[in-house]
């Protein structure tokens, strides 16, 4: 801890009155400003959907190395370019899909959606990515370096709550920390501004504007595809409200935004009859005569198998993909987020047939070296390459596996297998499916402490922080030179978890919201 702060941080809050006061201020501010989630069904019965509870959050912002923070933000536009170009390379993605699809039906089904649309022809050339690149600080002796945990190409969540968390900690620094008996929480805090809500909304607006006016005479709209019973609704609503505000500020009038549960797609959307452009029409359930044309479809659902309980759900995804709406993401962009892609990109140039993967998409030694510095060691789990065979030995060795995490091709928390649990897990699945996983060396962060407010209770102890940097990118999928129409670094997320927890997903119940104090 001293390596980042040079002293004791955060304050211990030994006084019960201090703890209670600060917790109450945070609870009230959070509800008043939408730093909230719907309560889980196990906590309370809420059939009318009127209740909210504070999102889990740290009492204090967590120290984060300034050089690492700036590097992560600076490299984001290069990551935008990288993943936009990967999504354009059907041959590259197809090869990797074939390597993992035998043990991963979900990936195989996504690829089949693409193949069906390809057969009849895509009608929308533009693709939108609201990305998030996640990092942890790796400590190697006295050296601190960001290392990428994963790159998210679908449903990159918590931009709305992240901006609110930064505002919360700024508010507390201005009003409350100086009142504590231990003033170390107030001295010298460097709290960077966080424009994550504005940034992602600007990306959505760029795509909406690029779509243009309806040729059918309908009002155009943005659809948020969401999960049934979504608890993280306020995070999404912040983006919606900001998108409306930006459109009003530009003088074009409020962009209509509608939330559509994934399961209701067949009932609420249709392809315009008789139009070869296949415009996507949305039928407002409260007013069936009101028909809108979807310019942008923003998927906050559809990233995992549970969103596809049957063939009807896959047919719904197919209708979205084949339509004229700009999908965020397209199926190919979603597939670009496979962990297998990350593993191949991180393959050293001296190893294997994928040695030039990074240079295949990014030109310029400076850009390539900048990306390379963020990679950690990642291995395939196939049985044909030397790297894959090495990984299998590591993963099945009870001692060697302690430094690794086994990852499937999934987004969202709760999917990974860590350390000593890896050998047993591998034995529980067919060996033929092992190739659909990757094995990643664990990142070793510097020790930190903080206090987490979760479900009204304070938890004090060691923590691990994970930084996510958002990027927005709009590009032409058919352009030979990978023409990018919009690309921005778009704010950040800091998620924090107890240092005894392996997973860090906030929505999955492991992590909490946090913000950065630069050191």
């Amino acid at each position: 801890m001293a390596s980042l702060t040079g002293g004791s941080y955060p304050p211990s809050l030994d006084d019960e009155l201090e703890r209670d006061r600060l917790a109450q201020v945070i609870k009230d501010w959070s509800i008043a400003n939408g730093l909230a989630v719907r309560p889980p069904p196990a906590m309370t019965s809420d059939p009318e959907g009127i209740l909210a509870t504070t999102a889990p959050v740290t009492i204090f912002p967590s120290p984060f190395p300034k050089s690492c923070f700036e590097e992560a933000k600076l490299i984001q536009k290069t990551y935008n370019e990288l993943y936009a170009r990967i999504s354009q390379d059907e041959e590259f993605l197809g090869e990797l899909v074939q390597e993992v699809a035998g043990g991963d039906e979900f990936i195989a089904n996504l690829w089949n959606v693409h193949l069906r649309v390809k057969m009849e022809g895509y009608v929308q050339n533009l693709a939108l990515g609201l990305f998030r690149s996640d990092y942890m600080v790796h400590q190697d002796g006295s050296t601190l370096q960001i290392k990428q945990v994963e790159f998210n190409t679908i449903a990159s969540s918590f931009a709305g709550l992240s901006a609110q968390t930064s505002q919360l900690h700024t508010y507390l620094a201005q009003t409350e920390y100086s009142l504590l008996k231990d003033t170390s929480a107030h001295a010298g805090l460097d709290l960077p501004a966080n424009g994550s809500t504005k940034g992602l909304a600007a990306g959505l607006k760029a795509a909406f504007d690029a779509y243009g006016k309806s040729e059918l005479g309908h009002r155009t709209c943005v659809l948020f595809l969401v999960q049934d019973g979504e608890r993280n609704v306020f995070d999404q609503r912040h983006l919606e409200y900001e998108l409306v505000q930006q459109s009003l500020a530009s003088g074009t009038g409020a962009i209509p935004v509608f939330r559509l549960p994934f399961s209701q797609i067949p009932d609420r959307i249709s392809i315009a009859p008789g139009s070869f452009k296949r415009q996507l029409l949305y039928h407002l359930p409260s007013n069936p005569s009101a028909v809108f044309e979807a310019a942008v479809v923003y998927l906050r659902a559809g990233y995992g198998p549970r969103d596809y309980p049957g063939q009807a759900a896959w047919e719904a995804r197919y209708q979205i993909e084949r339509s004229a709406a700009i999908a965020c993401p397209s199926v190919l962009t979603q597939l670009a987020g496979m962990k297998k892609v990350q593993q191949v990109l991180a393959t050293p140039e001296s190893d294997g047939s994928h040695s030039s993967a990074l240079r295949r998409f990014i030109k310029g030694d400076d850009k390539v070296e900048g990306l390379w510095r963020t990679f950690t060691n990642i291995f395939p789990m196939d049985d044909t390459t030397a790297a894959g065979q090495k990984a299998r030995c590591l993963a099945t060795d009870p001692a060697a596996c302690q430094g690794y995490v086994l990852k499937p091709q999934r987004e969202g928390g709760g999917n990974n297998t860590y350390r000593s649990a890896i050998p047993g897990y591998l034995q529980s699945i067919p060996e033929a499916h092992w190739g659909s996983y990757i094995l990643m060396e664990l990142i070793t962060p510097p020790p930190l402490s903080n206090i987490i407010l979760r479900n009204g209770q304070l938890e004090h102890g060691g923590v691990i922080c994970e930084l996510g940097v958002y990027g927005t990118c709009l590009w032409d999928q058919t352009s030979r030179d990978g023409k990018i129409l919009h690309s921005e670094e778009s704010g950040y997320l800091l998620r924090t978890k107890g240092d005894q927890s392996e997973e860090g997903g906030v929505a999955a119940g492991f992590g909490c919201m946090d913000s950065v104090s630069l050191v």
Side-chain angles (χ1 to χ4, degrees), residues 210-275:
Y211 184 88
K213 293 184 178 180
S214 168
E215 295 181 5
L216 303 178
H218 298 297
R219 290 186 67 188
T220 49
C221 71
V222 174
L223 292 181
F224 280 36
L225 293 189
V226 301
Q227 293 178 322
D228 291 88
E230 176 63 73
R231 293 182 54 226
N232 195 29
V233 57
F234 304 108
D235 175 54
Q236 299 165 8
R237 288 289 194 183
H238 283 304
L239 300 187
E240 175 185 337
Y241 302 151
E242 178 61 29
L243 177 58
V244 170
Q245 289 301 313
Q246 289 186 16
S247 61
L248 288 171
S250 68
T252 59
I255 295 174
V257 182
F258 302 107
R259 294 174 59 81
L260 176 62
F262 201 82
S263 64
Q264 295 180 22
I265 291 175
D267 300 323
R268 301 298 174 210
I269 69 168
S270 64
I271 301 295
S275 173

Side-chain angles (χ1 to χ4, degrees), residues 81-89 92-93 341 344-345 356-363 368:
E81 178 185 354
L82 172 62
Y83 277 84
R85 290 182 174 167
I86 290 172
S87 76
Q88 292 177 277
D89 197 326
F92 175 77
L93 287 173
V341 171
V344 168
L345 293 174
S356 61
L358 193 56
R359 296 185 187 275
R360 176 172 179 159
F361 304 107
I362 296 295
K363 307 303 179 185
V368 169

Side-chain angles (χ1 to χ4, degrees), residues 166-187:
S166 294
Q167 291 182 31
L168 166 66
H169 285 152
T170 298
Y171 171 79
L172 294 174
Q174 294 168 340
T175 63
E176 296 295 325
Y177 296 156
S178 62
L179 301 179
L180 299 176
K181 295 174 183 176
D182 183 348
T183 60
S184 64
H186 178 68

Side-chain angles (χ1 to χ4, degrees), residues 28-37 55 160-161 164 234-235 238:
D28 291 347
W29 192 99
S30 296
I31 292 299
N33 291 274
L35 180 53
V37 295
L161 295 192
Q164 298 308 105
F234 304 108
D235 175 54
H238 283 304

Side-chain angles (χ1 to χ4, degrees), residues 158-412:
F158 292 113
L161 295 192
S162 179
Q164 298 308 105
T165 304
S166 294
Q167 291 182 31
L168 166 66
H169 285 152
T170 298
Y171 171 79
L172 294 174
Q174 294 168 340
T175 63
E176 296 295 325
Y177 296 156
S178 62
L179 301 179
L180 299 176
K181 295 174 183 176
D182 183 348
T183 60
S184 64
H186 178 68
L189 291 179
D190 184 356
L191 307 180
N194 187 2
S196 52
T197 304
K198 294 181 182 297
L200 266 64
L204 288 167
K205 186 176 184 298
F208 180 85
D209 292 342
Y211 184 88
K213 293 184 178 180
S214 168
E215 295 181 5
L216 303 178
H218 298 297
R219 290 186 67 188
T220 49
C221 71
V222 174
L223 292 181
F224 280 36
L225 293 189
V226 301
Q227 293 178 322
D228 291 88
E230 176 63 73
R231 293 182 54 226
N232 195 29
V233 57
F234 304 108
D235 175 54
Q236 299 165 8
R237 288 289 194 183
H238 283 304
L239 300 187
E240 175 185 337
Y241 302 151
E242 178 61 29
L243 177 58
V244 170
Q245 289 301 313
Q246 289 186 16
S247 61
L248 288 171
S250 68
T252 59
I255 295 174
V257 182
F258 302 107
R259 294 174 59 81
L260 176 62
F262 201 82
S263 64
Q264 295 180 22
I265 291 175
D267 300 323
R268 301 298 174 210
I269 69 168
S270 64
I271 301 295
S275 173
F276 72 92
K277 290 191 175 181
R278 300 200 290 267
Q279 290 93 339
L280 188 69
L281 305 182
Y282 173 72
H283 306 266
L284 192 64
S286 59
N287 182 4
S289 64
V291 178
F292 292 80
E293 183 175 327
V296 181
V297 179
Y298 173 41
L299 279 78
R300 289 294 291 260
Y303 55 82
R306 285 181 295 182
D307 289 328
Y308 301 86
Q311 187 55 40
W314 283 109
E315 188 66 21
R317 182 63 184 275
Y318 164 67
Q319 295 298 335
I320 297 293
E321 187 73 6
R322 70 189 288 262
S323 77
I326 300 173
C328 178
S330 67
V331 166
L332 288 180
T333 305
Q334 182 174 349
L335 288 168
M338 290 187 298
K339 302 302 182 287
K340 183 64 180 178
V341 171
Q342 184 186 8
Q343 176 259 303
V344 168
L345 293 174
T347 300
E349 291 194 324
S350 59
D351 293 353
S353 60
H354 298 300
S355 60
S356 61
L358 193 56
R359 296 185 187 275
R360 176 172 179 159
F361 304 107
I362 296 295
K363 307 303 179 185
D365 288 345
D366 289 346
K367 285 186 176 181
V368 169
E369 290 170 5
L371 292 169
W372 186 256
R373 284 196 301 270
T374 68
F375 295 158
T376 188
N377 291 323
I378 311 176
F379 301 95
M381 284 290 290
D382 60 71
D383 61 356
T384 57
T385 66
Q389 291 168 0
K390 176 182 178 181
R392 289 184 173 216
C393 290
L394 292 170
T396 54
D397 185 314
C401 69
Q402 298 298 324
Y404 293 89
V405 53
L406 186 73
K407 293 187 175 185
Q409 313 299 316
R410 292 288 179 274
E411 301 283 358

